[in-house]
């Protein structure tokens, strides 16, 4: 019988135990795999989010990468614009800077979103090496750990769904690699200090669902993330030391015929003035299947039309970016 997950508000916590990064995957017992699988399935088929404790990604890797990209965001705007996604993006690069309010996730169209980002899909692509020489080595180390954790989560999810263990891992081989093509992206978001007074038509991140399979989210201590729970209420997803927050994306919901839920979430402006005047950072590893993978409901139903992973991402990006 699976060990129940603990609860933090309305978002469960699953202990990765011997499946954490840095531990031998095959050393985990069958019971351990099924414990984690049950916990992940219960969480992602319910609220759609789960905290992973004992995930094993070293704190130093997270800090090194966050500090490196924070150094980039501190550069003058003209320098940052040299690395803009529109200037740099091509099939060989797929990296770039996204200026504040270019990406709008709020579906109402009422809000500007005060958030700048750096988007990285290709570890060998263009990066601001001359301005921030530590960014590439810190990126490579962090992505390697994220790939390991992602594969263990995907394997456990397949078990939780009663599928072959490699059902998902076999369709996500190209995460942050050049070949095969894959839309997985590591991005860091910088929410700068808010203007005084704060206009009524601004927010930090509008309500949305993620596009891909799953997301690994690493928050700083500033807070502000909210998740819409099963009762339709907004729940604070408070930063929880030593955990990574994982959520399901649209493609996973489509693939599982709605057994797994892609839950709406947002980042709100904090009430505390001290937090309004401070920067907020988050790092997200947005996981997608390889480009050519055809995603269709595993139960054979017509609950969602088939779509390739690449086409789905292109469709969603077209709705999101302000040109």
């Amino acid at each position: 019988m699976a060990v129940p997950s603990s609860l933090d508000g309305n978002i469960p916590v699953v202990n990765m135990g011997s499946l954490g990064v840095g531990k031998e995957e095959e050393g985990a017992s069958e019971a351990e795999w099924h414990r984690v699988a049950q916990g992940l399935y219960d969480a992602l088929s319910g609220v759609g989010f789960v905290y992973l404790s004992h995930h094993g990604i070293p704190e130093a890797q997270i800090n090194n990468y966050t500090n490196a990209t924070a150094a980039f965001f501190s550069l003058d705007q003209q320098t940052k614009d040299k690395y803009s996604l529109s200037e740099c993006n091509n099939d060989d690069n797929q990296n770039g800077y996204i200026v504040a309010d270019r990406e709008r996730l709020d579906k109402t169209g009422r809000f500007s979103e005060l958030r700048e980002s750096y988007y990285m899909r290709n570890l060998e692509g263009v990066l601001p090496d001359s301005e921030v020489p530590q960014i590439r080595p810190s990126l490579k180390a962090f992505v390697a750990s994220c790939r390991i954790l992602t594969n263990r989560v995907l394997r456990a999810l397949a078990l939780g769904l009663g599928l072959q263990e490699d059902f998902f891992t076999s369709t996500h081989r190209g995460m942050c690699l050049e070949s095969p093509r894959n839309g997985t992206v590591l991005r860091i978001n910088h929410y700068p200090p808010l203007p005084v007074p704060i206009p009524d038509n601004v927010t930090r991140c509008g309500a949305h669902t993620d596009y891909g399979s799953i997301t690994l989210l690493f928050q700083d201590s500033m807070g502000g993330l909210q998740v819409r729970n099963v009762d339709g209420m907004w729940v604070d997803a408070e930063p929880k030391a030593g955990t990574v927050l994982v959520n399901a994306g649209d493609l996973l919901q489509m693939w599982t015929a709605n057994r797994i839920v892609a839950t709406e979430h947002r980042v709100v402006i904090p009430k505390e003035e001290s937090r309004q005047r401070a920067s907020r950072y988050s790092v997200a590893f947005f996981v997608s299947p390889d480009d050519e993978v055809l995603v269709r409901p595993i139960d054979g139903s017509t609950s969602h039309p088939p779509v390739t992973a690449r086409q789905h991402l292109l469709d969603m990006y077209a709705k999101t970016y302000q040109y």
Side-chain angles (χ1 to χ4, degrees):
M1 183 181 212
V3 177
S5 302
S6 60
L7 292 177
D8 185 11
N10 292 300
I11 301 176
V13 181
V14 170
N15 184 335
M16 288 298 288
S18 56
L19 298 183
V21 176
K23 299 181 180 178
E24 291 294 332
E25 181 176 351
E26 301 308 325
S29 67
E30 184 177 348
E32 183 79 334
W33 274 106
H34 283 283
R35 177 187 66 80
V36 173
Q38 187 67 56
L40 292 176
Y41 177 77
D42 288 347
L44 297 183
S45 62
V47 70
F49 274 73
V50 60
Y51 291 100
L52 300 185
S53 66
H54 300 85
H55 54 76
I57 298 181
E59 193 70 23
Q61 283 188 3
I62 301 169
N63 292 338
N64 289 343
Y65 178 65
T66 303
N67 292 339
T69 45
F72 171 80
F73 289 127
S74 71
L75 298 172
D76 63 86
Q77 192 62 49
Q78 184 176 6
T79 302
K80 290 188 288 188
D81 288 342
K82 287 195 312 181
Y83 296 97
S84 70
L85 193 62
S86 57
E87 293 294 329
C88 295
N89 197 22
N90 56 62
D91 284 344
D92 296 322
N93 175 37
Q94 304 170 325
N95 300 340
Y97 168 69
I98 302 171
V99 70
D101 203 34
R102 182 183 167 200
E103 181 187 61
R104 292 192 184 182
L105 299 171
D106 173 64
K107 296 179 180 65
T108 69
R110 294 186 296 120
F111 294 102
S112 295
E113 301 190 22
L114 301 186
R115 176 186 66 258
E116 59 180 351
S117 306
Y118 206 100
Y119 177 111
M120 300 182 215
R121 284 178 57 188
N122 180 356
L123 300 185
E124 304 304 325
V126 174
L127 290 171
D129 297 298
S130 58
E131 292 87 356
V132 190
Q134 67 270 32
I135 197 167
R136 194 178 298 270
S138 65
L139 168 67
K140 288 185 175 183
F142 186 48
V143 165
S145 292
C146 287
R147 283 173 52 86
I148 292 169
L149 182 61
T150 295
N151 278 317
R152 293 181 184 183
V153 169
L154 291 176
R155 180 178 169 185
L157 272 176
L159 286 171
L161 287 158
L163 304 170
Q164 291 289 328
E165 289 185 18
D166 66 347
F167 183 89
F168 294 123
T169 56
S170 65
T171 55
H172 291 74
R173 298 189 187 278
M175 296 181 289
C176 288
L177 301 177
E178 291 184 85
S179 181
R181 298 293 185 184
N182 180 288
T184 296
V185 57
L186 179 72
R187 61 182 288 173
I188 186 163
N189 298 310
H190 172 226
Y191 302 85
L194 294 158
V196 181
I198 301 172
D200 292 335
N201 67 332
V202 302
T203 189
R204 282 190 156 167
C205 184
H208 66 286
T209 57
D210 290 347
Y211 307 150
S213 306
I214 62 170
T215 301
L216 311 184
L217 180 67
F218 303 82
Q219 303 187 72
D220 67 9
S221 61
M222 298 303 294
L225 178 66
Q226 293 186 332
V227 172
R228 195 185 291 277
N229 70 6
V230 292
D231 298 316
M233 304 294 292
W234 287 106
V235 176
D236 290 330
E238 293 288 352
K240 189 173 179 64
T243 68
V244 55
L245 191 58
V246 175
N247 64 283
D250 296 335
L251 282 177
L252 191 59
Q253 177 165 333
M254 295 158 62
W255 223 338
T256 62
N258 305 321
R259 288 174 66 186
I260 299 294
V261 181
T263 300
E264 205 173 25
H265 50 286
R266 65 186 184 183
V267 180
V268 297
I269 292 173
K271 295 177 182 178
E272 302 88 348
E273 185 175 348
S274 61
R275 296 191 178 195
Q276 294 173 4
R277 305 292 175 256
S279 286
R280 178 186 187 270
Y281 294 93
S282 67
V283 183
F285 191 61
F286 291 108
V287 177
S288 288
D290 298 331
D291 285 353
E292 75 281 2
V293 171
L294 185 66
V295 174
R296 63 176 71 195
I298 56 176
D299 65 355
S301 72
T302 58
S303 55
H304 299 279
V307 64
T308 64
R310 177 172 174 77
Q311 189 58 55
H312 175 71
L313 291 181
L314 290 175
D315 291 345
M316 299 309 296
Y317 289 151
K319 297 176 182 178
T320 301
Y321 288 96
Q322 309 298 307
Y323 293 95

